[in-house]
């Protein structure tokens, strides 16, 4: 069980993600976001629980629903919102947008518009760290949609044969865009696929931040100790549309969405903290107020940030040296 | 000067780079203890061990994507494809990830990955082991594309590739791999984007790529007996492409023929032609000509295979035709 301070840090991190996402959804409606915006609302416990164990020099590789991973890995809401606004102060300086969030300085090695490659790249980070004899680890976050992709099979096998320090975190939110995982997978369980690759694997409630935190802690320890990779399936649900502005109907029922909203990871954790007297309502309210203000400040920062200079458009195709 | 094969020349460059830089590692099928199907890593396993000479499963997309992640996190992978055709299983990783990574991250990530393989038509290798594909990669922003034609260039360009922070495709024609040529001792690099003038001349300019360089030189040798003076330019790298050397030569000769084994449509010759028309139109005394391999998948039977590759006699005829314009 984490210490009190850490318990509150988990709460705060989930709120940073939630409020930032809600701000991005509002900004999208206002036309301030120029491209796609896939929110992480409902899945905050996973990035938070996993990244709680990571150091800035561990490498995270993410997917199209990756704002939460970037924030939990230490990219500020300012840099995330500014990037989605297309400003030069964004974490990718305006070249990336939502699906290409990079901040290698804190180990955020990119969100991605293509499903699957993050699995291979996290495997590669594991290869680097093993070769360089460091105790850093690579982490891939991906959805259930990636599990039916060849990258999953090839990446997990390579990580297994070389015992690489890599975590494979599957956020199974039951739909690949709008195609149900139950329909698209011959084996609809992700957490029991590890043995097929000679790898430890586990399934946890992805809406329970402490459960994720515990499973990730064991996996991180295993990886840092040279005992190889772990596959963690986190069962979860996205409560907003696949992407902002998309029609969210025809593939799931309002009842299903409501049932999952009742299992909201932040509300649940708030209740747990109060019930277990880890924090009083005033403490939690103060955290909420502080994070709200931070996100409001981030939005203002992004809105007032300069655009990238058009004459820099050809820079960085190649390295500068 | 001593003579080495292509394979020996690049092995020398790889060995000295690996001795100096512990972050370099090689992946591929059979490149470990066995030393590679084309002997590209012979002897290195004993020196550098299994983590740096890493045999892989037949998992091209997997290990290319993996090497992208490795290149992003402080090491310098060398991917040895054996036959370059196998790279196509990893095309998405190359185009969407490796080529774009530096740009997407606004230059804060580097992509020091070297991808090598044997290209080209010959030995009845048939169509899954005969592709070259370099025009495809030269079309895309983010790649360096190297196609050497002599062992000394192969060594120097390979050494440059091993120091580059950009993704480099290093492509050697199978029919050249065991050709011998003079190769300087010691370490040296050859910059990308600098063509080599393989033969000086005044009547026409011939740009030849990879295995076509020797055949073009042989054709020029015969024509020289009749007093015809041809200039032969080997670009050495397709991306970046040294157009200055080509333009300067066309300015002198007024005539241009591009000889390339790869397909003509949307190919390297088309690009060179367009740039010469754009920047050197007034220098031209005749239409630009291209001579390419046939636009078909590579057939197996020797009689069919020979029919699709430009040979010296055909090159010679194309030069005569160009001079008659």
């Amino acid at each position: 069980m984490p210490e009190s301070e850490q318990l509150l840090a988990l709460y705060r991190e989930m709120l940073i993600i939630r409020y930032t996402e809600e701000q991005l959804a509002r900004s999208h409606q206002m036309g301030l976001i120029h491209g796609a915006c896939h929110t992480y609302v409902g899945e905050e416990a996973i990035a938070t629980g996993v990244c709680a164990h990571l150091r800035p020099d561990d490498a995270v590789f993410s997917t199209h629903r990756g704002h939460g991973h970037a924030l939990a890995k230490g990219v500020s809401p300012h840099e995330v919102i500014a990037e989605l606004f297309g400003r030069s102060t964004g974490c990718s300086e305006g070249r990336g947008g939502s699906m290409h969030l990079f901040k290698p300085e804190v180990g955020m090695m990119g969100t991605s518009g293509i499903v699957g490659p993050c699995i291979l790249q996290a495997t590669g980070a594991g290869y680097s760290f093993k070769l360089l004899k460091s105790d850093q680890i690579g982490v891939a976050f991906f959805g259930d949609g990636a599990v039916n992709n060849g990258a999953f099979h090839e990446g997990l096998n390579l990580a297994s044969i070389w015992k690489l320090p890599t975590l494979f975190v599957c956020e199974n939110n039951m739909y690949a865009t709008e195609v149900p995982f139950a329909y698209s997978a011959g084996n609809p369980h992700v957490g029991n696929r590890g043995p097929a690759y000679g790898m430890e694997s586990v399934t946890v409630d992805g809406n329970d931040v402490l459960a994720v935190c515990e499973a990730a802690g064991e996996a991180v320890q295993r990886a840092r100790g040279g005992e190889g990779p772990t596959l963690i399936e986190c069962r979860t649900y996205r409560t907003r549309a696949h992407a902002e502005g998309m029609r969210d109907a025809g593939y799931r029922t309002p009842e299903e969405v409501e049932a999952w909203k009742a299992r909201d990871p932040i509300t649940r954790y708030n209740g747990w903290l109060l019930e277990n007297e880890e924090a009083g309502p005033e403490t939690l309210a103060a955290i909420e107020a502080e994070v709200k203000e931070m996100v409001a400040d981030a939005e203002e920062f992004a809105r007032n940030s300069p655009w990238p200079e058009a004459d820099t458009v050809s820079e960085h195709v190649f390295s500068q040296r | 000067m001593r003579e080495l094969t292509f394979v020996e020349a690049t092995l020398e460059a790889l060995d000295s780079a690996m001795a100096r830089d512990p972050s370099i590692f090689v992946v591929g099928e059979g490149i470990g203890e066995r030393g590679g199907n084309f002997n590209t890593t012979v002897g290195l396993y004993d020196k550098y061990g299994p983590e740096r000479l890493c045999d892989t499963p037949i998992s091209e997309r997997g290990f290319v994507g993996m090497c992208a992640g490795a290149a992003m996190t402080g090491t310098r992978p060398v991917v040895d494809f054996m036959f370059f055709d196998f790279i196509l299983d990893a095309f998405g990783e190359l185009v969407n990830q490796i080529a774009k990574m530096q740009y997407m991250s606004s230059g804060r990530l580097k992509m020091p990955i070297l991808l090598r393989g044997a290209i080209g038509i010959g030995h009845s290798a048939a169509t899954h082991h005969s592709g070259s594909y370099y025009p495809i990669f030269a079309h895309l922003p983010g790649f360096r594309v190297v196609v050497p034609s002599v062992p000394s260039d192969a060594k120097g360009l390979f050494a440059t590739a091993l120091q580059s922070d950009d993704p480099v495709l290093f492509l050697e024609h199978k029919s050249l791999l065991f050709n011998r040529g003079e190769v300087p001792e010691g370490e040296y690099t050859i910059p990308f984007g600098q063509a080599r003038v393989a033969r000086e001349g005044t009547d026409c300019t011939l740009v030849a790529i990879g295995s076509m360089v020797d055949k073009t030189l042989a054709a020029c040798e015969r024509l020289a007996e009749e007093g015809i003076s041809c200039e032969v330019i080997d670009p050495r790298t397709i991306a970046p492409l040294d157009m200055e050397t080509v333009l300067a030569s066309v300015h002198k000769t007024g005539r241009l023929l591009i000889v390339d084994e790869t397909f003509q449509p949307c190919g390297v010759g088309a690009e060179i032609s367009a740039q010469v028309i754009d920047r050197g139109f007034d220098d031209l005394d005749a239409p630009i000509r291209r001579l390419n391999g046939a636009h078909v998948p590579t057939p197996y039977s020797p009689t069919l295979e020979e029919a699709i590759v430009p040979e010296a006699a055909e090159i010679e005829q194309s030069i005569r035709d160009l001079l008659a314009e």
Side-chain angles (χ1 to χ4, degrees):
Chain A
M1 176 69 61
E3 301 292 323
S4 272
E5 214 169 284
Q6 292 167 309
L7 290 172
L8 293 182
L10 295 175
Y11 187 63
R12 181 171 180 272
E13 191 59 59
M14 287 202 287
L15 286 177
I16 291 173
I17 300 172
R18 173 69 54 91
Y19 292 164
T20 301
E21 293 289 35
E22 288 175 346
Q23 178 59 55
L24 288 170
R26 286 192 296 276
S27 300
H28 189 272
Q29 284 167 3
M30 293 166 66
L32 287 163
I33 292 171
H34 312 278
C37 178
H38 309 89
T39 74
Y40 197 62
V41 172
E43 306 185 15
E44 294 90 343
I46 303 166
T48 301
V50 173
C51 292
H53 299 281
L54 302 183
R55 309 188 309 231
D57 64 348
D58 292 321
V60 160
F61 301 81
S62 163
T63 184
H64 59 287
R65 196 173 304 289
H67 307 160
H69 310 132
L71 292 164
K73 193 64 174 60
V75 185
S76 71
H78 297 67
E79 293 163 294
V80 170
I81 298 174
E83 186 58 34
L84 272 88
F85 283 15
R87 307 305 170 105
S88 65
T89 53
C91 61
S92 305
E93 299 170 28
R95 278 175 169 71
S98 166
M99 286 184 280
H100 312 283
L101 300 174
F102 286 88
K103 192 169 183 190
E105 297 83 354
V106 297
M108 182 61 207
M109 312 305 274
T111 56
S112 174
I114 307 291
V115 167
C118 64
I119 296 174
L120 304 174
Q121 289 165 13
T123 303
Y127 202 93
S128 273
F129 300 148
K130 189 171 187 210
L131 188 68
L132 299 171
K133 303 196 187 332
S134 95
D135 68 345
Q136 291 156 272
I137 64 171
V139 179
F141 288 100
F142 50 92
D144 47 282
V147 170
N148 295 325
N149 185 285
F152 178 84
H153 171 67
E154 297 193 30
L156 265 66
N157 184 56
L158 294 176
S160 175
I161 61 173
W162 295 317
K163 272 189 169 302
L164 300 180
T166 305
L167 258 60
F168 300 102
V169 183
C170 174
E171 303 172 326
N172 181 355
N173 66 15
M174 297 170 48
Y175 297 92
T177 312
E178 282 96 14
V179 178
F181 189 57
Y183 159 85
S184 58
N187 167 7
H189 303 283
V190 180
N192 68 10
R193 295 191 189 193
Y197 300 99
M199 181 184 302
E200 295 286 335
S201 62
V202 61
T203 299
V204 298
D205 179 351
N207 284 24
D208 177 349
V209 69
L210 293 176
V212 174
C213 200
E214 188 184 347
E218 287 171 17
V220 169
Q221 197 175 12
R222 189 176 297 128
R224 288 206 206 284
E227 294 167 66
T230 306
L231 169 65
I232 304 174
E233 176 191 18
C234 302
R235 296 271 176 93
T236 189
Y237 199 81
R238 63 167 164 75
T239 49
R240 298 186 67 88
H242 166 71
E244 291 307 297
M246 273 178 72
R247 186 171 62 90
D248 191 31
Y251 70 100
R252 64 183 188 179
T253 63
E255 292 76 22
E256 184 180 284
V257 178
E258 288 311 311
W260 277 92
K261 277 186 178 168
R263 301 176 57 191
D264 180 76
I266 297 176
T267 311
R268 276 170 73 186
Y269 189 52
N270 177 298
W272 185 91
L273 288 169
L274 294 172
E275 269 167 40
N276 289 275
E277 296 180 354
E278 292 290 348
E282 305 78 18
T283 309
L284 299 184
I287 295 174
E288 289 156 23
E290 179 251 326
V291 174
K292 265 199 178 116
E293 198 181 317
M294 179 209 287
V295 172
D297 184 63
E299 192 278 339
E300 197 184 333
F301 165 82
R303 204 163 11 90
N304 294 322
S305 284
W307 297 97
E309 296 291 337
D311 62 5
T312 66
V313 71
S314 294
E315 291 175 10
H316 304 307
V317 176
F318 294 104
S319 68
Q320 300 298 300
R321 67 168 215 190
Chain B
M1 200 186 290
R2 63 170 185 161
E3 291 201 335
L4 295 180
T5 65
F6 268 72
V7 168
E8 290 162 346
T10 57
L11 183 58
E12 215 170 67
L14 181 59
D15 189 8
S16 50
M18 288 188 80
R20 190 177 49 248
D21 184 351
S23 73
I24 297 175
F25 68 99
V26 186
V27 304
E29 291 143 21
I31 58 84
E33 209 164 2
R34 178 168 177 248
N37 187 55
F38 293 119
N39 299 338
T40 44
T41 56
V42 164
L44 299 183
Y45 182 90
D46 290 339
K47 274 187 166 172
Y48 304 114
E51 277 186 4
R52 298 186 65 195
L53 276 301
C54 179
D55 275 327
T56 63
I58 300 173
S59 192
E60 273 75 14
R61 183 186 175 193
F63 61 70
V64 170
M66 183 191 91
C67 286
M72 293 160 73
T73 50
T75 51
R76 305 183 72 91
V78 177
V79 183
D80 190 329
F81 283 101
M82 186 171 12
F83 291 94
F84 190 61
D85 305 74
F86 304 159
I87 200 172
L88 299 180
D89 276 10
F91 199 61
E93 304 306 318
L94 284 152
V95 177
N96 263 325
Q97 308 296 327
I98 289 170
K100 297 177 182 174
M101 196 59 73
Q102 298 192 91
Y103 193 80
M104 292 191 292
S105 67
S106 276
R108 275 137 59 233
L109 286 170
K110 302 294 175 208
M111 190 45 73
I113 181 170
L114 198 170
L115 305 129
R116 73 181 306 186
I119 59 169
I121 300 167
H123 314 287
S124 285
T127 200
H128 287 169
H129 294 70
S130 297
S132 291
Y133 311 108
Y134 47 79
I136 298 173
F137 293 98
H139 175 71
L140 299 162
F143 289 118
R144 307 294 193 191
V145 183
V146 184
V147 187
S149 72
V150 291
S152 56
D153 283 354
K155 181 178 169 183
L157 292 163
F158 201 74
T160 303
L162 286 163
Q163 292 174 13
S164 172
D165 281 337
D166 300 321
V168 180
L169 300 170
F170 190 88
L171 311 176
E172 295 165 290
H173 200 286
K174 309 196 262 304
S175 69
L176 300 178
L177 282 176
F178 298 97
N179 281 7
R180 303 189 84 80
E182 291 189 344
V183 177
E185 311 258 1
E187 292 187 46
Y188 61 94
T189 56
I190 295 172
F192 294 160
Q194 263 184 29
R196 180 173 61 90
V197 179
R199 181 188 178 98
E200 290 190 14
T202 51
D203 294 334
C204 65
T205 299
L206 310 170
V207 176
I209 298 164
S211 64
M212 291 296 119
V213 174
D214 276 352
K215 292 179 182 183
T216 301
L217 287 170
C220 295
E221 200 63 36
R222 283 213 285 275
L223 291 164
E225 291 165 14
E226 301 169 27
I228 297 170
S229 166
C230 303
E231 183 143 300
V232 178
I233 296 171
D234 169 8
R236 301 198 286 198
T237 61
I238 306 301
L241 189 58
D242 177 5
M243 281 306 300
E244 302 310 318
T245 299
V246 176
L247 286 161
S249 179
V250 172
H251 181 71
K252 180 170 65 174
T253 66
R255 290 168 199 273
L256 174 62
L257 168 71
I258 301 125
V259 188
D260 182 17
E261 187 185 279
T262 63
F263 306 128
Q264 193 169 83
C266 306
V268 181
E271 175 60 25
I272 292 172
S273 301
Q275 290 206 41
V276 170
I277 289 165
D278 192 26
R279 298 169 62 192
F281 188 76
D282 292 340
D283 291 330
L284 289 167
D285 298 325
I288 298 169
R289 296 295 184 206
R290 290 175 289 164
L291 180 62
N292 291 79
H295 194 213
V296 297
T298 308
Y300 167 75
S301 174
T303 57
L304 296 173
E305 190 188 60
E306 282 164 21
I308 67 168
V309 183
E311 293 301 333
E314 208 179 337
I315 298 168
E316 185 185 328
Q317 188 56 50
S318 295
I319 298 168
R320 290 185 192 280
D321 293 346
L322 176 64
L323 292 170
E325 285 282 353

